[in-house]
Amino acid sequence: MPADFDVIIIGGGVIGLACAHALSADRSVLLVEQHDLFGSETSSRNSEVIHAGLYYPPGSLKESLCIEGRKRLYAFCEQYDVPHRKTGKLIVAPSADHPALDHLEQKARGLNIPTERLSREEISEREPNVRAEAALFSPETGILDSHTYMLRLQQEAERQGALLMKRTRYLRGKAENGLWHISLQTSDGEFRVTSERMINAAGLHSHDVAKRSGADTSLFPRLHYCRGHYFTYNGKSPFNHLIYPLPEKDLAGLGIHATLDLGGQVRFGPDTEFMSDHSRVYEVSPTLKTKFCRAISSYFPNVDVSQLQPAYAGIRPKLSGPGESTQDFVIFRDNRAEAASLLHLLGIESPGLTSSLALADKITARLSTET
Ligand SMILES: Cc1cc2nc3c(=O)[nH]c(=O)nc-3n(C[C@H](O)[C@H](O)[C@H](O)COP(=O)(O)OP(=O)(O)OC[C@H]3O[C@@H](n4cnc5c(N)ncnc54)[C@H](O)[C@@H]3O)c2cc1C
């Protein structure tokens, strides 16, 4: 019997939506999202930065997909009228010959990512409120309106015939005779569909969705939740560009940085807080102000504490725990003999937003070789 769909995608965050957009060009696609809105978990709780691709381990998916994804994303924003701006960013260092800054500069050169080394005087000219001895300017870094981006992915996927369902929860799936038999929970009750292939793009719930598909998740890399908080800074922006300190050890985070939104409002964050459980608590405690102030004042000495307001938090789905070296994105092919094709996307933390179109292309290519 033919399947109802060629592909079912579990999860309507930016990655699921980008996959639906790419795959619906020549396949029948069903995407299910449990919430009332697409992209209401990690995809709407981030810095909305289009990363240049400077930071990631050589040869990693994070590096290649970020660089390719950045180019694709700027082109997509132009084509589909998604508000965005190539703001450029400064990565600032406390000493003129800081080895970590030298390392980033060399890496950028090797990857053909344009950067410019700035002295203390040049920093003061461009950013009078920033104090640093040296900086690397990355002109390719930018910001985008991630909500409009996701809306355009949704609209284009639907225009190509994809069925995108909100308020629909994936309950379980069983592979039989080369097809996935899937149970979904909607407000009208439970119903079943069949699909030839399945993509697990469930973000923080990736391991839960895998279990519901019968996978042995003890074979998967362990999933750690790592929260990042943001504070907004009231009033006129003290900066003209995004300002980043040097990244944290083990790349747990990129350091508490200053980003601008498209309206010119500054926000600081995210910090890194590994969570002891998998609760999705997004509260931002005002007591974090002291920690934020200390970090920010290292490059913005005139920070006015009274202008910092708790804003929002996001949770990174990490495959590395505290103190462990950073892990790459994982595209895990479920190899159970009886299974129809199933790809689990694991650990899609930053730069997932920047990488989304390139990752979706990679998934499309993977599925094509399996036909
Ligand atoms: C603090 C922070 C800052 C970041 N900053 C940046 C940045 O500046 N630039 C950048 O490139 N990246 C950034 N990222 C990374 C980026 O946000 C993520 O990589 C990206 O949003 C991941 O998207 P996703 O679709 O995989 O996950 P999600 O957005 O979490 O989507 C998964 C979806 O699956 C749904 N789902 C789960 N289980 C089920 C089920 N059983 N049935 C139906 N639906 C289900 C969920 O409801 C959810 O909507 C940041 C991340 C964080 C946390």
Side-chain angles (χ1 to χ4, degrees):
M1 222 175 46
D4 299 322
F5 296 93
D6 294 334
V7 190
I8 179 166
I9 300 166
I10 316 301
V14 72
I15 302 299
L17 291 168
C19 288
H21 170 255
L23 288 163
S24 58
D26 57 5
R27 294 166 196 261
S28 60
V29 173
L30 170 65
L31 177 148
V32 294
E33 167 54 50
Q34 62 188 347
H35 294 307
D36 294 353
L37 293 171
F38 294 119
S40 50
E41 290 199 357
T42 310
S43 296
S44 55
R45 297 177 163 277
N46 56 53
S47 303
E48 297 187 296
V49 171
I50 303 177
H51 288 294
L54 292 170
Y55 296 108
Y56 312 104
S60 63
L61 285 175
K62 284 184 177 173
E63 182 180 81
S64 58
L65 296 179
C66 182
I67 293 170
E68 178 59 22
R70 183 232 310 153
K71 296 175 190 158
R72 297 280 323 278
L73 189 50
Y74 279 125
F76 185 97
C77 289
E78 287 293 331
Q79 185 177 355
Y80 295 104
D81 215 10
V82 177
H84 68 288
R85 193 171 347 127
K86 239 184 225 188
T87 50
K89 99 170 169 187
L90 264 69
I91 305 170
V92 297
S95 60
D97 51 359
H98 202 291
L101 202 66
D102 296 342
H103 172 72
L104 285 177
E105 190 177 15
Q106 276 164 20
K107 211 159 164 292
R109 209 171 291 136
L111 291 166
N112 263 332
I113 301 173
T115 54
E116 190 186 340
R117 185 81 173 222
L118 303 181
S119 65
R120 182 171 36 162
E121 293 71 29
E122 288 166 326
I123 297 167
S124 301
E125 269 166 37
R126 294 190 197 194
E127 290 289 357
N129 289 309
V130 170
R131 184 182 62 194
E133 292 301 314
L136 209 55
F137 177 61
S138 164
E140 282 301 313
T141 305
I143 51 174
L144 86 162
D145 173 350
S146 60
H147 297 274
T148 307
Y149 170 47
M150 287 191 278
L151 182 63
R152 294 289 185 269
L153 288 172
Q154 176 198 337
Q155 289 168 335
E156 284 305 301
E158 284 175 338
R159 196 181 55 74
Q160 295 181 142
L163 180 59
L164 274 52
M165 296 178 68
K166 291 180 244 182
R167 292 177 220 96
T168 305
R169 185 152 203 262
Y170 171 76
L171 293 178
R172 71 196 86 86
K174 194 167 187 303
E176 255 173 30
N177 304 325
L179 288 188
W180 282 102
H181 296 255
I182 291 153
S183 299
L184 302 170
Q185 181 71 53
T186 70
S187 44
D188 294 331
E190 194 173 320
F191 75 98
R192 291 170 158 248
V193 293
T194 55
S195 177
E196 282 183 16
R197 297 178 167 72
M198 176 149 59
I199 296 171
N200 171 0
L204 295 167
H205 311 259
S206 55
H207 288 47
D208 172 61
V209 163
K211 276 188 202 141
R212 290 168 182 275
S213 315
D216 177 2
T217 52
S218 68
L219 303 174
F220 283 32
R222 194 169 152 209
L223 182 64
H224 303 264
Y225 279 19
C226 179
R227 189 164 46 210
H229 308 89
Y230 291 87
F231 279 73
T232 47
Y233 196 64
N234 291 342
K236 195 171 164 288
S237 169
F239 312 122
N240 304 311
H241 307 88
L242 313 185
I243 310 292
Y244 279 59
L246 288 164
E248 289 175 28
K249 198 169 157 275
D250 304 321
L251 263 187
L254 297 181
I256 295 179
H257 46 262
T259 55
L260 303 165
D261 65 19
L262 287 154
Q265 164 103 59
V266 171
R267 62 191 163 205
F268 289 101
D271 59 347
T272 47
E273 182 193 47
F274 279 94
M275 300 165 75
S276 53
D277 59 18
H278 280 189
S279 58
R280 278 174 297 109
V281 177
Y282 293 111
E283 197 190 335
V284 183
S285 165
T287 59
L288 287 168
K289 232 185 205 189
T290 316
K291 166 180 161 185
F292 267 67
C293 220
R294 204 179 319 119
I296 298 164
S297 57
S298 70
Y299 55 87
F300 176 32
N302 293 332
V303 55
D304 178 351
V305 193
S306 67
Q307 300 306 310
L308 283 173
Q309 299 299 330
Y312 64 97
I315 301 174
R316 305 168 180 91
K318 273 193 177 293
L319 301 181
S320 51
E324 292 171 5
S325 55
T326 183
Q327 294 296 309
D328 204 0
F329 296 153
V330 170
I331 305 172
F332 184 75
R333 166 82 158 89
D334 209 320
N335 274 332
R336 286 169 288 149
E338 83 283 12
S341 159
L342 166 56
L343 293 178
H344 302 284
L345 310 185
L346 309 176
I348 314 297
E349 52 166 330
S350 192
L353 177 63
T354 310
S355 307
S356 49
L357 293 170
L359 179 56
D361 282 350
K362 195 166 187 70
I363 301 296
T364 306
R366 274 288 278 273
L367 290 191
S368 301
T369 59
E370 289 175 4
T371 40

